[in-house]
Amino acid sequence: MKLTFWGASRQVTGSMYLLELEDDYKILIDCGTDMERELDFTQPVTGYQPFFPFEAAQVNLVLLTHAHIDHSGNIPMLYREGYEGQVLCTPPTAELAEILLYDAASLNYKKLKQAEGDSKKKKKKMDRLMVKGDLYLQKDVEDTMSNFVTIQFNRRFKVKDGVWITFVPAGHLLGAAHIILETLDSGVKKSICFSGDIGRDNYPLLLDPSNELPETDYVVCETTYGARLHEDKISPEDALAKVIQRACIDLPGRLIIPAFSVGRTQALLYTLNKLYTERGFKPIKVFSDSPLAYASTKIYQKNVRQLNKAAQEFYEDNDGLFDFENLQYIQSEKASRAISNYTEPCIIISASGMVSGGRVEQHIAANINNVYCTILLVGFASEGTLGWKLMNGQKTLRIKDVELPVLATVEKIDVFSGHGDQNDLLKFVSKHNPERVKKVFLVHGEEESMVTFKGILEEKGYSNVEMPEKGQSYEL
């Protein structure tokens, strides 16, 4: 069989791997949005251009590790290009993917509306977006979701004669899975493990990454934090409590937390609930400012039996996971803008986590020169984003073409990072005997991170570690 790496190759986003079996049966593992892909509106539109570097109509099956948009975001494009098969994933992944894809379609619609107009420049942009087919809309998501089929964790599922898959808990996000794929061709057994995104032990709400992984012939491993170790050694409750004490009680002021709507926001709300319920914290007004976060929070609550034991026990004791006194979910943009008029100490949790667009950018713009404001960064931020600039101590920020001095206090903690660090990645790979595994492929990471982790694996005895280029194929 042949494995081709079409995404997340020496970069973090756009996970997409095509596995071609001996009988020409093709399986696509993940189909994510490439956040680093730029549209070139300066080039003329000469007609329809395929979105994928392969024939979508010839793909037989899609396997989805988890719902995050850099793994799921281009599935509707696959159907637009002629794919007619199913998408297999866990039940929570299907639910989260649906709201994420509808949210992406809504953003795409706004982009198209912004491109409308009489000017030649806008017309040219509109033509390229429509003809090149880079954007999908709500109807495309409807067509896509009708083809999702869900499989429970740890159930060995027969795809067809001689092909089985198993979804194994990966942590990282509700429903996230490692995928074990086994084949039997002409009496020869072959197996491959796709890591998806690897979580970490004892993360709020989530199951730990499974310790029951079978050994496989090949391993595809993400390397987001291949060169990093998590710094904070205290619990999420202790870390968050210290920041709230400084920012909202001792000062008192407002605390702004940029957080992704799906996953990170739920971990924060759950931890806040525990602080107020179990530690007697005086309830401070909390604004969860993201309609997408509200929708995903309901999915987390619905799937409480898919969460870890501590979360299930908290749910039983408190009849819920997230609702607590003084929590307010913000839906409309008008209500979001009105938060600026709230003068009492408060906590604002809003997307995006990297401060790259979204409502949180507006909150930071309104408070960046407020000495009574603290901005808490709780996860990874790509280079060049406002989050990255804040994390690296930049003294001014340009937001909406206005240069603003950074007078607010900026803090960071990493206990809420959903990605496993270097030790967690090594723990995952180490479940595969270096004397048995034929190749380890490193993906979903910056090149420096991959190089560092490759060196560590080689020191541990893994002699065939590859860092595939985009489009590179391997015969397995």
Side-chain angles (χ1 to χ4, degrees), residues 262-382:
V262 181
R264 198 72 49 81
T265 293
Q266 289 70 47
L268 286 163
L269 292 177
Y270 172 65
T271 303
L272 284 168
N273 198 3
K274 293 182 74 175
L275 287 178
Y276 298 144
T277 303
E278 299 176 350
R279 299 199 182 186
F281 254 64
K282 178 183 176 181
I284 298 165
K285 191 72 173 181
V286 176
F287 298 103
S288 178
D289 187 13
S290 165
L292 182 59
Y294 178 66
S296 56
T297 297
K298 291 196 294 184
I299 291 172
Y300 266 69
Q301 181 106 338
K302 174 186 173 184
N303 287 279
V304 64
R305 297 304 168 197
Q306 298 275 355
L307 302 176
N308 62 34
K309 184 178 179 181
Q312 293 185 41
E313 290 176 349
F314 185 90
Y315 176 86
E316 295 294 338
D317 292 341
N318 298 281
D319 197 28
L321 292 170
F322 307 107
D323 292 327
F324 50 86
E325 185 182 350
N326 277 344
L327 170 62
Q328 182 177 346
Y329 292 99
I330 303 297
Q331 298 282 4
S332 71
E333 292 185 9
K334 180 179 179 181
S336 176
R337 291 191 296 270
I339 295 175
S340 295
N341 298 322
Y342 189 84
T343 58
E344 298 295 320
C346 66
I347 300 170
I348 302 170
I349 304 172
S350 187
S352 74
M354 297 187 191
V355 200
S356 54
R359 293 182 180 180
V360 76
E361 188 171 312
Q362 300 171 14
H363 292 304
I364 287 179
N367 290 276
I368 195 68
N369 54 6
N370 177 5
V371 295
Y372 291 95
C373 174
T374 298
I375 300 169
L376 177 63
L377 303 169
V378 294
F380 177 80
S382 296

Side-chain angles (χ1 to χ4, degrees), residues 159-192:
V159 171
K160 69 183 199 75
D161 288 345
V163 181
W164 299 265
I165 62 166
T166 307
F167 292 99
V168 180
H172 181 67
L173 184 71
L174 175 66
H178 308 309
I179 297 177
I180 309 298
L181 193 148
E182 304 166 85
T183 65
L184 180 61
D185 185 68
S186 302
V188 179
K189 295 180 180 179
K190 295 180 182 179
S191 58
I192 183 169

Side-chain angles (χ1 to χ4, degrees), residues 8-241:
S9 299
R10 305 197 183 199
Q11 67 177 57
V12 174
T13 64
S15 292
M16 186 164 58
Y17 320 112
L18 184 64
L19 186 67
E20 301 173 67
L21 306 185
E22 302 297 334
D23 59 357
D24 206 33
Y25 190 87
K26 296 179 174 63
I27 301 174
L28 192 67
I29 297 89
D30 285 346
C31 188
T33 300
D34 182 352
M35 306 296 189
E36 300 180 31
R37 183 170 179 264
E38 295 286 342
L39 297 183
D40 185 358
F41 294 113
T42 65
Q43 297 299 316
V45 179
T46 57
Y48 174 75
Q49 302 169 31
F51 185 84
F52 296 98
F54 50 83
E55 287 288 340
Q58 294 183 6
V59 175
N60 299 97
L61 182 67
V62 174
L63 307 179
L64 180 58
T65 59
H66 66 286
H68 277 149
I69 212 75
D70 61 325
H71 292 257
S72 69
N74 278 334
I75 295 177
M77 297 301 302
L78 199 69
Y79 284 95
R80 284 186 59 172
E81 293 276 307
Y83 177 61
E84 297 180 342
Q86 296 176 332
V87 178
L88 304 187
C89 62
T90 66
T93 292
E95 292 185 72
L96 291 174
E98 182 172 16
I99 63 172
L100 278 163
L101 292 176
Y102 273 117
D103 182 69
S106 176
L107 293 174
N108 289 343
Y109 179 75
K110 290 180 181 178
K111 291 178 184 177
L112 292 177
K113 296 300 288 184
Q114 290 170 357
E116 289 179 347
D118 296 327
S119 72
K120 290 183 178 180
K121 182 178 181 181
K122 286 186 176 181
K123 184 65 167 60
K124 188 175 184 179
K125 186 173 182 179
M126 181 76 166
D127 287 344
R128 173 154 287 276
L129 290 171
M130 295 303 292
V131 175
K132 194 170 186 298
D134 281 324
L135 301 181
Y136 54 85
L137 300 177
Q138 181 169 329
K139 181 61 168 63
D140 300 303
V141 179
E142 291 176 6
D143 295 341
T144 296
M145 295 311 304
S146 66
N147 292 286
F148 270 59
V149 176
T150 61
I151 299 172
Q152 297 291 345
F153 280 129
N154 299 314
R155 176 190 171 194
R156 189 170 184 259
F157 179 81
K158 183 178 179 179
V159 171
K160 69 183 199 75
D161 288 345
V163 181
W164 299 265
I165 62 166
T166 307
F167 292 99
V168 180
H172 181 67
L173 184 71
L174 175 66
H178 308 309
I179 297 177
I180 309 298
L181 193 148
E182 304 166 85
T183 65
L184 180 61
D185 185 68
S186 302
V188 179
K189 295 180 180 179
K190 295 180 182 179
S191 58
I192 183 169
C193 176
F194 295 89
S195 73
D197 284 357
I198 298 169
R200 52 197 295 197
D201 291 343
N202 303 312
Y203 190 80
L205 297 170
L206 299 181
L207 297 171
D208 290 345
S210 177
N211 284 317
E212 303 302 321
L213 279 179
E215 291 190 49
T216 55
D217 300 313
Y218 301 93
V219 178
V220 178
C221 181
E222 66 111 333
T223 55
T224 311
Y225 281 178
R228 289 182 54 184
L229 296 174
H230 290 308
E231 298 174 2
D232 294 314
K233 305 302 180 185
I234 61 177
S235 70
E237 291 85 359
D238 287 338
L240 193 56

Side-chain angles (χ1 to χ4, degrees), residues 251-267:
L251 197 52
R254 63 175 47 196
L255 174 63
I256 299 175
I257 308 178
F260 293 112
S261 299
V262 181
R264 198 72 49 81
T265 293
Q266 289 70 47

